[in-house]
Amino acid sequence: MAARRVLKYAILGLLRKDDKSGYDITSDFKQAIGQFWSAKHSQIYTELKKLLEEELISSYIELSGEKLEKKMYTLTEKGKEDLHTWLLTQDDHLETEKDVFALRLYFLKDIPSADLLALFENQLNLRTNKLNMLKEQYAYHFGEENRPVDLDADDLGHYFVLTKAISREENYIFWLMESMDIIRQRQYGE
Amino acid sequence: MAARRVLKYAILGLLRKDDKSGYDITSDFKQAIGQFWSAKHSQIYTELKKLLEEELISSYIELSGEKLEKKMYTLTEKGKEDLHTWLLTQDDHLETEKDVFALRLYFLKDIPSADLLALFENQLNLRTNKLNMLKEQYAYHFGEENRPVDLDADDLGHYFVLTKAISREENYIFWLMESMDIIRQRQYGE
DNA sequence: GTTAAACATGTAAACAATGACATGTTTAAT
DNA sequence: ATTAAACATGTCATTGTTTACATGTTTAAC
């Protein structure tokens, strides 16, 4: 999968507002943006090293306590330009959005109805938990009264991504429940 | 990304009903199931070789015309068992569903409104085309009168996967249009 | 004071995936 | 007869990603 050097731009993008450490970037991928891109710390540290060599970022040391050295990264001018160009790039095709549950389901002819429903239940559980987490995040950041038209430009990206993730999960859950109904009806008809 | 050897099981799964060649499998990934998993022919031929070594599949030659040799693959008993076990496996977590458009959008603070709308238009176009293709596929295979309860078990997987893909795209398009409205309203308020 | 969780940074081996290279046949249209 | 598209199979170099290895500090709870 993986279009060309997406992690590179994900990192440059995360550095657009504030300087961050590798650990900070790793943490960001566990928040909202992690719904749409993520990477392990091993890959992040390696990519940061590469970006330094390419002079798209620079680094300095910040002390956290007495001994713990945090290596902070800043976007260079070159890095800002590169990021800006990428942000304006239009995709010319859509990549496969891989989904192992759907793949498995395609082969369902060989799965007994009861096991099939167990698979659906499990997926429904995972998705419901995820949706709840996302809704909590939404409530925490945007509350109920906040209308997107009045939002600060800084928060708009976060707003879009969170609403996208929520909408994706709601849609997934809706389809899961619809499909379970069909399976149950077929089971009854047997 | 890629959870553990998903391509392996995708291939075993595609061989569950009929023998297929590497080319056939490559073609399948351009159809419905390609919405949820896909691979290039280079990876497929390599994986087939590996599966042969592991004795999960066996192969024979079929002539197509006078000279063209098609290498056909069949699931072995061992392969069937392995596939069956995998089909019943419950996921214990959800992987990041990577989406470069959403990632880009997260950094939208640095994109002028007009450019942003152009990015959205482009995405809307790509998604609308895809949705139309999926709907054509649906109409072709299931028509209008076909109720899922009455479907042959053989076709049910296909039905679920197609409706899933359609629902995903419709949801994506809906969110795109909603977001574009918000951007236009904010633009007006400037 | 101990301990566990979170903070913090890196490397290396193995595995997954793409793009380019490489070659040849069959079918359908003109 | 020619030609283009589809059929058909493979390898190799590079890039992307994960898992495991490896080490140490700080903070908050008990």
Side-chain angles (χ1 to χ4, degrees), chain B residues 3-164:
Chain B
R4 264 175 73 229
R5 296 199 67 189
V6 177
L7 181 60
K8 165 184 165 180
Y9 293 106
I11 290 176
L12 295 183
L14 288 171
L15 293 172
R16 77 199 180 290
K17 291 187 200 169
D18 324 291
D19 296 356
K20 284 174 193 275
S21 66
Y23 190 86
D24 293 335
I25 291 167
T26 308
S27 305
D28 284 341
F29 283 133
K30 287 170 189 156
Q31 306 297 312
I33 196 53
Q35 295 300 318
F36 298 105
W37 204 268
S38 66
K40 309 289 178 183
H41 80 273
S42 52
Q43 200 190 356
I44 291 165
Y45 287 113
T46 310
E47 187 66 31
L48 283 168
K49 205 174 147 190
K50 203 171 166 188
L51 294 174
L52 261 182
E53 277 164 27
E54 294 170 326
E55 299 184 321
L56 299 169
I57 56 176
S58 61
S59 74
Y60 57 93
I61 299 294
E62 207 177 84
L63 275 165
S64 182
E66 298 224 331
K67 291 189 205 168
L68 225 190
E69 296 194 337
K70 278 181 75 172
K71 203 186 269 184
M72 302 297 288
Y73 295 94
T74 316
L75 273 190
T76 62
E77 270 312 309
K78 201 176 156 192
K80 278 180 197 169
E81 280 167 34
D82 199 351
L83 172 63
H84 195 73
T85 305
W86 182 78
L87 286 176
L88 300 180
T89 306
Q90 292 191 9
D91 299 316
D92 59 353
H93 69 282
L94 299 172
E95 282 178 54
T96 296
E97 296 170 53
K98 297 188 169 181
D99 179 338
V100 177
F101 180 74
L103 174 68
R104 200 172 269 148
L105 196 58
Y106 188 67
F107 307 135
L108 101 192
K109 200 203 129 208
D110 297 306
I111 313 178
S113 273
D115 293 327
L116 195 52
L117 283 171
L119 287 178
F120 268 97
E121 287 290 2
N122 179 55
Q123 188 70 202
L124 189 57
N125 249 305
L126 292 172
R127 296 276 168 188
T128 305
N129 289 339
K130 189 168 167 180
L131 177 60
N132 288 336
M133 271 178 39
L134 290 167
K135 281 187 169 170
E136 274 169 37
Q137 273 190 54
Y138 183 89
Y140 177 76
H141 287 286
F142 304 108
E144 264 131 77
E145 58 319 287
N146 239 323
R147 281 166 52 236
V149 196
D150 306 321
L151 238 46
D152 197 288
D154 267 9
D155 301 326
L156 197 62
H158 191 188
Y159 176 85
F160 278 141
V161 164
L162 256 185
T163 56
K164 173 84 192 79

Side-chain angles (χ1 to χ4, degrees), chain A residues 61-123:
Chain A
I61 300 293
E62 207 176 84
L63 275 165
S64 182
E66 297 224 329
K67 292 189 201 166
L68 224 190
E69 296 193 338
K70 279 180 74 171
K71 204 187 269 186
M72 302 297 288
Y73 296 94
T74 317
L75 272 189
T76 61
E77 270 312 308
K78 201 176 155 192
K80 279 181 196 169
E81 280 166 34
D82 199 350
L83 172 64
H84 194 72
T85 304
W86 181 78
L87 286 176
L88 299 179
T89 304
Q90 292 191 6
D91 299 315
D92 58 354
H93 69 281
L94 299 173
E95 282 177 55
T96 296
E97 295 170 51
K98 296 188 169 179
D99 179 337
V100 177
F101 180 74
L103 174 68
R104 200 172 267 139
L105 196 57
Y106 187 68
F107 307 135
L108 101 190
K109 197 203 133 213
D110 298 306
I111 314 178
S113 273
D115 292 329
L116 195 52
L117 283 170
L119 287 177
F120 268 97
E121 286 291 359
N122 179 55
Q123 189 70 202

